[in-house]
Amino acid sequence: MAWRALAKKALSTSYLSNCGAAITASHSLHSTLPDVLLCSRVDLLTASRNLRSCWGIRNYHASVSLLSWRGRKAEEAPGLKTLGREKQVKRVNKLRAPPVEARYVPPKLKQQAKLTQEKTVEIFEGMTLVELAKRTGSSVRVLQEILTSIGEKVGSEFDPITIDVAELVSMEVGVNVKKLHSEEGAILKPRPPVVTVMGHVDHGKTSLLDALRKTSVAAKEAGGITQHLGAFVVSMPSGASITFLDTPGHAAFTAMRARGAAVTDIVTLVVAADDGVMPQTLEAMSHAREANVPVVVAINKCDKPGADPEQVRIQLGSEGLSLEDLGGDVQVVEISALKGTGLDKLEEALLLQAELMDLKARVDGPAQAYVVEARVDRGRGPLVTAIVKSGTLNVGQYVVVGAEWGRIRAIRDMAGRTAELAGPAMPVEIEGMRGLPMAGDDITVVGSEERARMLSQGRRKKLERERLERMNQENVEASAEEGDEADDVPERVEVAVVVKGDVQGTVQAVADSLRSLNSPQVFVNIVHMGVGPISQSDVDKAQACNACIVGFNIRSPPSPISLSAKQANIKIFLHRVIYHLLEEMGKLIVEKAPGTAETQVTGEAEVLSIFELKSRKSKGPDVKIAGCRITDGRFTRTATMRLLRSGEVVFEGSCASLKREKQDVEAVGKGNECGLVIQDCQDFKVGDVIQCLEQVIRKPKFVSSESGAVRIEC
Ligand code: GDP
């Protein structure tokens, strides 16, 4: 392991913490209010309502165990065994008159979902108009006209333009952009690694982050008291530091990646020594692999009596992770998050990994940064925790963050100290945004307020257009799928939901989880999402959309708001555990679902004797009565009866009469004898079996798996 020794030596001199900015002022950070209307437009709601009638099957979150569960044969209906549907139809047709010529119904063609694949072009700082014209396919003259219309100075087509202007112009000509950040010619300096903690539920991700947070710079400054701000920095005695993203789990990682934010440098994979590799361990491994991010394994709970780190190593090895102990390059550290042991070794391993990756960033020039969390403070407005990837973010700069814009009023480090600037891999809190962006949004520094407004407006329009397109597309796909099952699937009903949470990341995660409860019968429509406590305006919105309100990790609304919700008949669900919330919402969805009509065998009887009743009318047919004993379930007067002989269906018809000792009855239970007449049936034989068939409404089921994934099974 010579390389390791060398790298360790090198470590002692590198990575001076970037968190050295001075100044005082510590503010208590009360998270609070305003609402962020993410899908508030009335026209969108109306459109969604219009489309609703033909929404259909969606994808569900399906874990390995769920998939295998789904594969299993559906439970048989309680009561007696039914015959296969094909068989019944075949036999019944045999006995009845041949079918009259049926009208030819052409098979329904699946509608092609229109995929609006917009062109994506790569843009970069300092590109010329000629280059942009080539990429977008528009003429230089058209681009110049756009520049004039957005108030930009139009020089020669060979003059360099800034990346935000290139984005604005590209949006105007209707193409998507991918920003390239070239560090060519820039002075690069080593930067600390940004680490995300992942692993199976209950393996100790949160405990590990809690333990690490206690050793963070912020905790040391604040006497051990810290709060969750999305990220924290741990400093080593050598002066090196590590930035940890403070949201455990895979949802945050994928949400960031979905927005193109490649913030994480290293994944710490937590595996419990007493539990070993589990489905979400594998999921984390594949996330890291897809994102091309190296893994450092932390075998946790090594303090437990049943801990078997060796077994975990073998399992990880057999899952394709080339561990250092087995000659590979993935480091493994044994820790106990609870006892705080092995944390220094883990930090060392992370720094070593970072050293091998030779992480460097440009320090000068405009910042390229990402949002890791956003929340609203009553006094300070929207607060954004951001990590700068390269360049420097300065107080006073105009920024566009996702579809929001603002002017940086203040920058604070994670210890709450104000700073004038923020450098690479340094998590900071930014004050001064006009609205609340989302985790994973990129932060673009722009030259003026005018440009910030314009870029944010352009992005908003684009987001809205994409949302509408997505809705249309889902609708087309759903109606195509529904088309095939139109006869079996009942109309889909809607459960409208207003989601409120403590921070933006939570709100997004809750909304995504609720959407995973979508089913062919119930469409979970998130009509509004927002950060902060439940307000009167939330109640108003819920009332307008006939929605319920879900509050996650927030306190109960004040009594006037609760009262107003009660008067408007709006249900409020407050939870702090996501599973409990999903369970309650699952129940509500099951309650609202129309269910599917199903024929069930509710009783079975044996024919003991046959009686014949002469018709009172001279020309009328005689009536055959089957004297039966109910051997299972019960028979009802309104049901359909099926006559079976030697296991084969010989007749099916409605019940014309059900009597017990000459008395008409509505139902007869197991063990009793009765006289039964089936409409138009003259063909009873002693020993025949009669089944009582009833239409029942089968409601969907709320299903949860061991891994915590839930869905509604129709
Ligand atoms: P997460 O779901 O992965 O975030 O797991 P948590 O951090 O919430 O931990 C799940 C449970 O394991 C909690 O009851 C923790 O107290 C416990 N736990 C976490 N780390 C350790 C450890 O190192 N040793 C022991 N004995 N228990 C631990």
Side-chain angles (χ1 to χ4, degrees), residues 200-207 300-301 303-304 336-338:
H200 193 70
V201 67
D202 273 352
H203 278 197
K205 300 179 291 294
T206 314
S207 308
N300 191 28
K301 306 198 185 184
D303 59 300
K304 283 188 114 176
S336 164
L338 204 68

Side-chain angles (χ1 to χ4, degrees), residues 2 6 43 53 152 165 195 204 213 255 260 290 362 381 439 451 463 544 577 643:
L6 266 175
D43 51 356
S53 60
E152 281 298 319
V165 170
V195 178
R213 203 183 305 110
E290 277 164 29
R362 167 178 57 83
R451 205 178 283 170
L463 280 179
V577 178
L643 184 64

Side-chain angles (χ1 to χ4, degrees), residues 36-273:
V36 186
L37 196 62
L38 295 175
C39 54
S40 63
R41 285 180 58 114
V42 175
D43 51 356
L44 276 181
L45 287 177
T46 325
S48 94
R49 264 189 219 116
N50 292 341
L51 299 172
R52 207 167 301 138
S53 60
C54 41
W55 282 71
I57 299 165
R58 288 162 159 240
N59 293 323
Y60 314 112
H61 177 99
S63 66
V64 179
S65 50
L66 257 185
L67 284 171
S68 66
W69 190 92
R70 284 178 79 180
R72 267 186 246 151
K73 192 173 173 275
E75 263 178 49
E76 278 185 349
L80 303 162
K81 277 197 166 186
T82 54
L83 278 180
R85 198 168 156 177
E86 274 175 40
K87 200 170 183 182
Q88 298 165 26
V89 173
K90 239 195 208 154
R91 286 293 301 174
V92 170
N93 281 349
K94 250 193 208 174
L95 286 168
R96 289 190 177 160
V100 287
E101 205 169 296
R103 184 170 62 89
Y104 172 69
V105 182
K108 282 170 193 140
L109 287 175
K110 282 210 170 190
Q111 274 173 276
Q112 277 293 316
K114 186 178 159 255
L115 287 172
T116 43
Q117 281 172 336
E118 272 180 14
K119 191 169 159 183
T120 301
V121 299
E122 290 178 337
I123 58 169
F124 51 91
E125 186 73 29
M127 70 192 303
T128 65
L129 220 50
V130 174
E131 273 166 327
L132 190 60
K134 242 190 256 166
R135 285 160 199 247
T136 58
S138 307
S139 70
V140 170
R141 204 172 52 79
V142 168
L143 300 190
Q144 278 172 332
E145 275 168 18
I146 293 172
L147 279 182
T148 318
S149 72
I150 61 174
E152 281 298 319
K153 205 171 109 256
V154 185
S156 147
E157 64 259 47
F158 298 106
D159 285 351
I161 55 172
T162 55
I163 197 160
D164 52 310
V165 170
E167 186 184 342
L168 254 176
V169 175
S170 305
M171 272 190 308
E172 287 297 314
V173 293
V175 296
N176 288 327
V177 293
K178 183 175 176 219
K179 294 184 191 172
L180 298 182
H181 295 277
S182 162
E183 311 294 9
E184 217 179 278
I187 300 166
L188 303 180
K189 291 196 179 152
R191 65 166 177 87
V194 180
V195 178
T196 297
V197 173
M198 291 169 108
H200 193 70
V201 67
D202 273 352
H203 278 197
K205 300 179 291 294
T206 314
S207 308
L208 174 60
L209 280 169
D210 286 347
L212 289 166
R213 203 183 305 110
K214 278 188 202 138
T215 67
S216 71
V217 177
K220 281 177 190 155
E221 309 269 329
I225 305 157
T226 51
Q227 49 182 326
H228 174 96
L229 291 173
F232 60 86
V233 179
V234 172
S235 261
M236 305 292 287
S238 63
S241 58
I242 307 170
T243 301
F244 285 95
L245 292 188
D246 206 356
T247 323
H250 311 172
F253 184 80
T254 29
M256 298 271 274
R257 280 233 305 144
R259 291 195 175 79
V263 184
T264 304
D265 297 310
I266 305 167
V267 162
T268 295
L269 179 65
V270 178
V271 191

Side-chain angles (χ1 to χ4, degrees), residues 587-620:
K587 271 189 204 143
L588 181 81
I589 287 168
V590 167
E591 213 173 274
K592 277 216 170 191
T596 38
E598 227 180 50
T599 304
Q600 260 186 23
V601 177
T602 56
E604 201 166 70
E606 190 189 346
V607 178
L608 302 176
S609 52
I610 297 142
F611 308 96
E612 205 164 332
L613 203 66
K614 290 280 170 213
S615 172
R616 283 186 195 144
K617 293 176 200 158
S618 56
K619 282 186 184 163

